[in-house]
């Protein structure tokens, strides 16, 4: 039986604390606006300790983004598994984002400036919902417009509101405030006209 030493456990705890601290700071200040020394100070470790756990700043950012994107994708899958309609799926998607909204919003705003690995992780979140989205469209017989185009319209609508959250919900919580509006607006675009 291979048990971890107290030193190994401490090292894992420090790394987890750095990732969690980075998440909090990135959510508030942005990824590009955060220095590694800010994270080290907030985590009560030396600046050098950050680089004992992560070889470069880019590797650190990528690991934080990867970890939380995995969390968002997991929540999205959990919520989506019980959906029977496109409306339910869109609502579930927004619920998955809402739990991590400040961080997700930073990803939306800064995605083009992220290191490649971090950007790939963010794109993987979109893939997580895209699969469920396509299945919901098929179930409802909404195949006259390519699923990819509809999905991009949905993501564009959601990301537009998040990127302009200071206008739509200055107090924060864009998704909570506009969840019904986003869902209803998107579905109205798909209504068949007689």
């Amino acid at each position: 039986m291979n048990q971890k030493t107290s030193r190994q456990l401490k090292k894992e705890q420090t790394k987890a604390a750095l990732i969690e601290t980075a998440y909090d700071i990135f959510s508030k200040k942005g990824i590009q606006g955060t220095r590694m020394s800010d994270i080290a100070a907030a985590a009560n470790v030396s600046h050098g300790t950050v680089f004992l756990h992560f070889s470069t700043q880019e590797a650190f950012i990528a690991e934080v983004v990867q970890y939380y994107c995995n969390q968002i994708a997991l929540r999205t899958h959990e919520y989506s598994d019980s959906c029977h309609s496109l409306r339910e799926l869109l609502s579930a998607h927004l619920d998955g984002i809402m739990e991590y909204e400040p961080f997700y919003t930073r990803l939306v705003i800064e995605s083009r400036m992220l290191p490649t690995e971090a950007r790939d992780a963010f794109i993987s979140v979109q893939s997580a919902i895209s699969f469920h989205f396509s299945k919901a469209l098929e179930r409802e017989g909404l195949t006259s417009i390519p699923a990819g185009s509809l999905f991009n319209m949905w993501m564009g609508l959601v990301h537009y509101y998040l990127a302009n959250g200071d206008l739509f919900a200055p107090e924060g919580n864009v998704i909570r405030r506009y969840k019904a509006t986003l869902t209803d607006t998107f579905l109205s675009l798909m209504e068949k006209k007689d």
Side-chain angles (χ1 to χ4, degrees), residues 72 75-101 129 132-133 136 139-140 151 154-155 157-158 174-187 190:
I72 295 166
R75 294 303 282 159
T76 299
H77 281 306
E78 287 172 3
Y79 289 138
S80 299
D81 283 343
S82 62
C83 294
H84 301 291
S85 69
L86 182 58
R87 177 177 293 281
E88 289 175 351
L89 177 69
L90 299 177
S91 180
H93 180 218
L94 295 175
D95 287 341
I97 292 171
M98 191 170 14
E99 286 185 49
Y100 302 93
E101 184 176 324
I129 190 62
H132 295 288
F133 188 90
R139 276 194 307 272
E140 294 191 23
F151 181 71
W154 169 246
M155 294 308 299
L157 181 64
V158 172
V174 171
I175 300 297
R176 185 178 325 282
R177 185 170 184 187
Y178 287 97
K179 183 178 176 184
T181 300
L182 290 165
T183 304
D184 291 345
T185 299
F186 181 75
L187 291 173
M190 298 176 54

Side-chain angles (χ1 to χ4, degrees), residues 18-151:
L18 288 168
I19 290 171
E20 187 174 330
T21 301
Y23 168 82
D24 291 337
I25 295 173
F26 289 168
S27 297
K28 292 174 188 146
K29 291 177 63 174
I31 298 166
Q32 298 300 312
T34 301
R35 297 174 310 178
M36 295 300 102
S37 59
D38 298 335
I39 295 167
N44 294 316
V45 299
S46 71
H47 187 222
T49 298
V50 175
F51 294 101
L52 288 175
H53 295 278
F54 306 96
S55 58
T56 64
Q57 180 174 345
E58 290 77 15
F60 182 46
I61 290 169
E63 188 151 345
V64 173
V65 171
Q66 180 71 51
Y67 179 80
Y68 284 98
C69 282
N70 286 344
Q71 297 302 307
I72 295 166
L74 179 64
R75 294 303 282 159
T76 299
H77 281 306
E78 287 172 3
Y79 289 138
S80 299
D81 283 343
S82 62
C83 294
H84 301 291
S85 69
L86 182 58
R87 177 177 293 281
E88 289 175 351
L89 177 69
L90 299 177
S91 180
H93 180 218
L94 295 175
D95 287 341
I97 292 171
M98 191 170 14
E99 286 185 49
Y100 302 93
E101 184 176 324
F103 182 72
Y104 187 90
T105 299
R106 291 298 183 169
L107 294 175
V108 169
I109 293 168
E110 299 182 37
S111 68
R112 294 181 62 92
M113 298 176 282
L114 294 174
T116 302
E117 287 182 61
R119 191 167 185 200
D120 290 347
F122 180 55
I123 291 168
S124 74
V125 172
Q126 314 324 311
S127 296
I129 190 62
S130 176
F131 171 77
H132 295 288
F133 188 90
S134 295
K135 294 297 179 194
L137 290 175
E138 286 176 21
R139 276 194 307 272
E140 294 191 23
L142 301 170
T143 55
S144 60
I145 299 174
S149 296
L150 289 173
F151 181 71

Side-chain angles (χ1 to χ4, degrees), residues 4-19:
K4 295 180 181 179
T5 65
S6 60
R7 185 169 188 217
Q8 289 170 317
L9 289 172
K10 175 74 173 153
K11 188 174 181 180
E12 288 175 8
Q13 290 169 346
T14 300
K15 184 175 182 179
L18 288 168
I19 290 171

